Amino acid sequence: MSAAVIRRPGKFRDTNRRLMLHGALLAISDIAALYAALLIAYAIRASNPQPFLHPTSIGRFAWVAATVAPGWVLIFGALGLYASGPKRPFSGECVRIAFGACFGVMVLVCIDYLRNDIVVFPARSVPVYGFLIGAAMVALFRALLRLGVRTAYSRGIGLHSVIILGSDALATRLVAYLRRPGSGYQVVAAVAPEEDGGTLLGDIPVYHDFESAMAAQVAPVDEIVQADVNMDRDEVTRLMSLANAEGITYRFVPDRFGVYAASSRLKAIDGIPVLDVRLTSLDGWAAVVKRIFDFAVTSLLVVLLLPLFAAVALAVKLREPTAPLLYRQERVGRRGKTIRILKFRSMLWEYSTGPDRKYTTPYDAFLAMGREDLCAEFLRDHKVQDDPRVTAIGRFLRRTSLDELPQLFNVLKGDLSLIGPRPITPEELERYGAQQYSLLALKPGVTGLWQVSGRSDVSYEERVKLDVFYIENWSVSLDARILAKTPIAVVAKRGAV
């Protein structure tokens, strides 16, 4: 089934954004708690008539506290205190808070001891007070935040909408647990092909397929929980990919298929082991860091390459002065959004294709040129090796990838990433099969594995595999290797388009 049929705008709510917002609130809360704790520790020690070992005014120490408190949050982040939502057991969170507070104080004490020019604590007792009060206040602030969240849940505010896959005893047990007061969940539908039109636990409608369940929803869906361990494997893969593309959580009870992802997390719901599946680790804060990197590096490249932009623009205009300089191609962006990527025009304008052109597809243009021999090649590979529409300067631009320079502006706009899967057409999406939704989870890239692995010398099936591999195995080191290899691939002219 095509992506256009399944994807319904506004029907899904990105749970990663919720987790990021919750993590940001926790970070602000922790900074405030640690800052207040350090000032309280100073005040307690200042109440002692014995003079400070290193006399420091409250104003200067307040400045020091404001400097070190945000840095302390990095330690908490390394301990995973911002990676999960408010449903994690509070006892385990308190242990991590205590460890993080202790480690942070030890780091500051070491800096105080090793650097004579830097005085962090005016007396030895201040870090002791700071550790004890800091850990307590961080835990207190977090407890208050949890209380606020649970109060909102009990009033029906901010509940996570869940669709259950299955309607047997296991599904009934999971639904009963998720519907507990204050749990933060509301089960809005169940999917069971054999019980279409029935209800689960008396009031939850059961639908024949997932699409029917989604079509009946008014509010966005946050999570999918698979309780049916006998679901068809292809259907499981499809729904996992769909959830991944939409940024929502997919959970399932492990079954005989052994469907696991590298970034899966094992949890328990009412004693039942459940896996939270993420088909890519490029979400949440990792996506934010990648976006910051894209914007910073691309801005620098645009400034450095301005003379090259001007030279290429002049060459293109001299070939066809009355034709447009840039060519816009429609591609599928993140979550199925239609984007228009920019390129320096490399074809004769008369035979250029697009939604606003005389010829909608290259196939039509080849027919008009009397080149039926190229139609079969285009249908097979979605491109041809020796395209007669390409000008002489266009061939040079394509061979050197200079025609893709304007895509840097797509990166600045946010439609593309510097590194990612290939930008593909809506028609190509079908060729990804059950993996098409994984492709929609990430922004397409100006460069990627496909480019450094041979570009057009790689078969279409291999390109699909490379894109899926990148999505499922993304890492900072993989991005770094691709970025380093891109100039080499361009200079070597491997797989010239």
Side-chain angles (χ1 to χ4, degrees), residues 175-447:
V175 170
Y177 184 83
L178 292 175
R179 297 179 72 182
R180 293 174 306 141
S183 68
Y185 294 100
Q186 58 178 350
V187 181
V188 296
V191 177
E194 68 282 359
E195 298 185 24
D196 186 24
T199 58
L200 183 64
L201 290 182
D203 59 348
I204 299 175
V206 178
Y207 298 91
H208 181 72
D209 54 43
F210 182 77
E211 281 67 43
S212 298
M214 284 300 305
Q217 303 309 310
V218 176
V221 173
D222 299 286
E223 299 186 18
I224 302 171
V225 178
Q226 177 197 333
D228 184 357
V229 297
N230 297 313
M231 278 186 64
D232 178 72
R233 185 172 187 176
D234 290 339
E235 180 68 1
V236 171
T237 301
R238 183 179 73 89
L239 293 180
M240 280 185 183
S241 298
L242 172 61
N244 186 64
E246 296 290 351
I248 70 173
T249 300
Y250 188 98
R251 297 179 178 180
F252 74 100
V253 178
D255 61 4
R256 66 177 183 273
F257 293 134
V259 183
Y260 299 93
S263 53
S264 299
R265 296 182 294 252
L266 183 64
K267 297 184 178 181
I269 298 179
D270 195 24
I272 302 171
V274 176
L275 280 171
D276 285 7
V277 179
R278 291 188 301 163
L279 299 182
T280 179
S281 57
L282 185 52
D283 57 15
W285 292 111
V288 173
V289 172
K290 184 175 174 69
R291 174 58 183 152
I292 294 173
F293 173 82
D294 282 347
F295 190 85
V297 174
T298 303
S299 299
L300 178 62
L301 287 175
V302 168
V303 173
L304 295 177
L305 297 175
L306 277 178
L308 187 57
F309 271 97
V312 173
L314 179 61
V316 173
K317 271 297 184 182
L318 287 176
R319 176 62 179 81
E320 280 190 279
T322 60
L325 173 64
L326 298 178
Y327 178 66
R328 292 169 173 81
Q329 291 182 319
E330 285 196 353
R331 291 292 187 265
V332 179
R334 186 169 182 250
R335 296 186 182 166
K337 175 186 175 183
T338 299
I339 60 174
R340 287 195 167 192
I341 63 174
L342 302 174
K343 287 187 176 185
F344 281 121
R345 184 178 50 78
S346 58
M347 291 185 180
L348 295 169
W349 182 238
E350 178 183 357
Y351 294 105
S352 295
T353 58
D356 54 350
R357 298 295 299 147
K358 179 179 179 181
Y359 305 111
T360 306
T361 67
Y363 185 92
D364 300 326
F366 295 145
L367 285 179
M369 298 177 74
R371 295 296 305 270
E372 290 82 357
D373 57 309
L374 299 178
C375 293
E377 183 181 350
F378 173 77
L379 291 176
R380 184 183 67 249
D381 298 329
H382 280 270
K383 60 176 61 180
V384 295
Q385 285 289 88
D386 189 15
D387 195 330
R389 300 173 300 159
V390 180
T391 64
I393 182 63
R395 290 190 182 91
F396 173 76
L397 295 180
R398 290 186 171 201
R399 188 167 58 250
T400 57
S401 295
L402 292 177
D403 64 319
E404 298 179 0
L405 281 178
Q407 292 179 26
L408 294 176
F409 294 102
N410 287 114
V411 177
L412 293 177
K413 183 181 177 182
D415 289 337
L416 295 180
S417 176
L418 267 180
I419 306 163
R422 296 177 308 113
I424 64 173
T425 64
E427 294 76 20
E428 288 181 88
L429 192 61
E430 295 296 329
R431 302 185 67 169
Y432 281 73
Q435 300 288 353
Q436 61 183 262
Y437 302 108
S438 295
L439 185 72
L440 301 179
L442 272 60
K443 292 179 183 178
V446 175
T447 185

Side-chain angles (χ1 to χ4, degrees), residues 54 107-116 118-123:
H54 303 287
V107 170
L108 294 176
V109 169
C110 289
I111 294 175
D112 209 354
Y113 177 78
L114 296 175
R115 294 290 300 270
N116 294 329
I118 298 177
V119 177
V120 179
F121 299 111

Side-chain angles (χ1 to χ4, degrees), residues 96-178:
R96 297 190 185 195
I97 290 171
F99 181 82
C102 180
F103 186 79
V105 166
M106 291 174 61
V107 170
L108 294 176
V109 169
C110 289
I111 294 175
D112 209 354
Y113 177 78
L114 296 175
R115 294 290 300 270
N116 294 329
D117 56 328
I118 298 177
V119 177
V120 179
F121 299 111
R124 295 188 180 93
S125 59
V126 173
V128 177
Y129 296 148
F131 159 64
L132 295 174
I133 299 172
M137 291 194 68
V138 169
L140 175 62
F141 280 32
R142 284 178 170 244
L144 292 175
L145 185 58
R146 279 176 174 256
L147 178 61
V149 171
R150 292 186 182 277
T151 301
Y153 286 162
S154 65
R155 297 180 179 179
I157 302 173
L159 296 179
H160 286 224
S161 297
V162 180
I163 289 182
I164 294 285
L165 305 182
S167 61
D168 57 7
L170 182 59
T172 302
R173 180 177 171 184
L174 289 174
V175 170
Y177 184 83
L178 292 175

